[in-house]
Amino acid sequence: MKELQIGVVGLGAIGREHVKRLTERITGCRVVAVSEVNQEVGRKVAEQYGAKFYEDGEELINSPEVEAVMVTTWDPAHAQYVMASIKAGKYVFCEKPLATEVAECEEIIKAEEAFGKRIVQVGFMRRFDPGYVELKKTIEEGKIGLPLIVHACHRNMTHEATMTSEMSIKNSGVHEIDVLRWLLDDDYVSGQVVLPRQSSISAKEGLQDPQIMMLRTKKGICIDVEISQSSGYGYDIQCEVVGDLGTAKLPDPPRVITKTDCTKASGIMPGWETRFIEAYNIEMQDWVDTVLADETPHGASAWDGYMACLTATILGECRAEGGTSKEITLPEKPEFYN
Ligand code: NAP
């Protein structure tokens, strides 16, 4: 059986998780090359998995043994490696976000269209999460009637020292922006960011936490999403869709319920690694299978990554301007991305 030879650029937390996943869990592929700015980490991972280490990510992308690329660096380096992959004509899976700047997304879109074939997939893994998939099916089957309102929340347990108000939307909130657009099969027309009282736990200069993203869609659906970087109790992702015939809610991952000392309790996942493990596994197997079959990837496209970046950027401007509401004018989707 043919094995897809993958090169991974960026071996931080998720890069190492994905290398392990591709090696131990996903069938039909092999990690043959890795690259990482922290050479000590990179060489160690390369040795552990029998892959070749490259000091330079672009050299890895251009090396003949690499057939497909996975980009898992920090956000600002994504665009560079996606562009290099398109230039090399190789399928590329890029962790979210596609890029941090709208202009970079536009460059990627242009380059992929000029290449003439869709080869970019963005790692918005919630589209593969069984709970979100069931929620989407429930809406599409009309069980709750016309969707009217969405209440969602994205609470991280804690955050890195580098977290800023802008990243809170562009790095965390971008998941919500993408998954709700996909869930409702809709696009955004306006947005606003409401700033509640500052959390005493995450109080630091440059980080307003929590924030509430408010969005309105073309169909007229109103969305509120709480983004919090320091719940202190766990990684908590909630989504409830209110329709005119009923409501549908994203299930929590199943955890054992204990009853002891007159107390009923059940666990909450601590982070994305465990909360979305099934979604990552399904997403990655699907990506490897489609690349091996030379088919258009099923996950979020470069266009979806562009839409998410554009929306997040406008919401960032709303916040910076003190919470004003702004129109979100999205360009027409080219036929290439239909
Ligand atoms: P992380 O642990 O901070 O790792 C980021 C990696 O990028 C590190 O290896 C870092 O090296 C490397 N890097 C920094 N500058 C670079 C450059 N100029 N060129 C190449 N590599 C560079 O972060 P992470 O949690 O793994 O996140 C990595 C990416 O995955 C981020 O874009 C994030 O948004 C995404 N992510 C997605 C999910 C999801 O749910 N889909 C979850 C987590 C993360 P140093 O360690 O030396 O700085």
Side-chain angles (χ1 to χ4, degrees):
M1 186 187 158
K2 163 97 183 87
E3 275 190 334
L4 182 69
Q5 302 194 163
I6 300 174
V8 179
V9 186
L11 299 170
I14 206 165
R16 293 196 299 274
E17 284 270 333
H18 284 346
V19 169
K20 187 170 190 284
R21 174 173 289 111
L22 289 167
T23 306
E24 296 175 2
R25 171 91 198 196
I26 307 302
T27 57
C29 65
R30 198 156 55 91
V31 176
V32 294
V34 292
S35 177
E36 162 61 38
V37 283
N38 182 334
Q39 290 204 26
E40 202 185 320
V41 171
R43 289 186 193 283
K44 209 169 141 197
V45 173
E47 196 186 328
Q48 187 181 353
Y49 291 95
K52 185 170 171 189
F53 176 72
Y54 285 84
E55 279 180 31
D56 182 56
E58 295 207 22
E59 200 189 322
L60 173 149
I61 290 167
N62 289 311
S63 74
E65 85 263 24
V66 171
E67 296 170 326
V69 181
M70 181 163 287
V71 178
T72 44
T73 63
W74 70 326
D75 299 0
H78 288 188
Q80 175 197 347
Y81 296 121
V82 171
M83 284 299 286
S85 304
I86 297 172
K87 212 166 150 202
K90 295 182 183 179
Y91 282 100
V92 54
F93 176 100
C94 176
E95 258 312 334
K96 52 65 33 181
L98 174 62
T100 51
E101 304 305 323
V102 170
E104 292 173 326
C105 293
E106 288 169 348
E107 209 186 332
I108 290 170
I109 295 289
K110 273 196 206 127
E112 197 184 31
E113 267 198 278
F115 181 68
K117 183 169 137 186
R118 282 197 22 212
I119 54 173
V120 180
Q121 176 167 327
V122 185
F124 284 122
M125 78 298 177
R126 292 191 193 178
R127 292 173 175 229
F128 294 87
D129 174 71
Y132 273 108
V133 170
E134 194 185 338
L135 186 57
K136 184 171 172 64
K137 192 163 167 272
T138 304
I139 296 167
E140 287 176 351
E141 284 173 352
K143 285 193 180 137
I144 61 163
L146 281 182
L148 311 172
I149 304 167
V150 178
H151 304 293
C153 91
H154 179 130
R155 297 189 188 128
N156 289 332
M157 179 138 85
T158 183
H159 59 85
E160 300 284 336
T162 48
M163 180 55 68
T164 62
S165 303
E166 190 188 10
M167 282 171 69
S168 194
I169 292 180
K170 279 193 162 179
N171 185 280
S172 298
V174 77
H175 269 303
E176 305 292 333
I177 292 169
D178 178 72
V179 83
L180 296 177
R181 196 177 148 261
W182 166 83
L183 190 71
L184 302 167
D185 191 21
D186 209 345
D187 264 316
Y188 303 118
V189 291
S190 65
Q192 187 182 1
V193 174
V194 175
L195 302 177
R197 185 180 188 185
Q198 171 75 35
S199 154
S200 64
I201 297 168
S202 52
K204 70 161 194 156
E205 207 180 321
L207 177 61
Q208 174 69 45
D209 189 51
Q211 302 183 44
I212 303 171
M213 304 191 307
M214 314 277 283
L215 288 155
R216 178 183 283 273
T217 72
K218 268 188 188 163
K219 292 175 191 161
I221 302 168
C222 286
I223 299 170
D224 60 87
V225 190
E226 172 203 322
I227 307 288
S228 167
Q229 296 301 335
S230 47
S231 77
Y233 68 82
Y235 178 76
D236 195 8
I237 305 299
Q238 301 292 327
C239 181
E240 182 182 27
V241 183
V242 180
D244 54 8
L245 296 180
T247 70
K249 198 169 188 300
L250 182 73
D252 279 327
R255 304 306 309 265
V256 166
I257 297 165
T258 56
K259 292 178 185 174
T260 55
D261 296 330
C262 300
T263 304
K264 183 177 165 188
S266 88
I268 299 170
M269 297 294 186
W272 46 268
E273 303 91 329
T274 44
R275 168 63 181 86
F276 284 112
I277 191 163
E278 213 180 339
Y280 294 118
N281 289 342
I282 298 170
E283 171 194 47
M284 213 135 286
Q285 187 65 64
D286 188 83
W287 179 68
V288 167
D289 292 347
T290 49
V291 172
L292 275 174
D294 197 17
E295 287 170 2
T296 305
H298 299 141
S301 66
W303 182 261
D304 297 318
Y306 172 34
M307 292 299 100
C309 179
L310 193 57
T311 306
T313 302
I314 293 170
L315 288 176
E317 290 167 6
C318 294
R319 190 207 57 252
E321 290 171 17
T324 49
S325 168
K326 275 188 183 271
E327 278 186 22
I328 301 176
T329 311
L330 302 175
E332 183 120 355
K333 193 174 182 181
E335 193 49 43
F336 181 72
Y337 287 104
N338 278 331

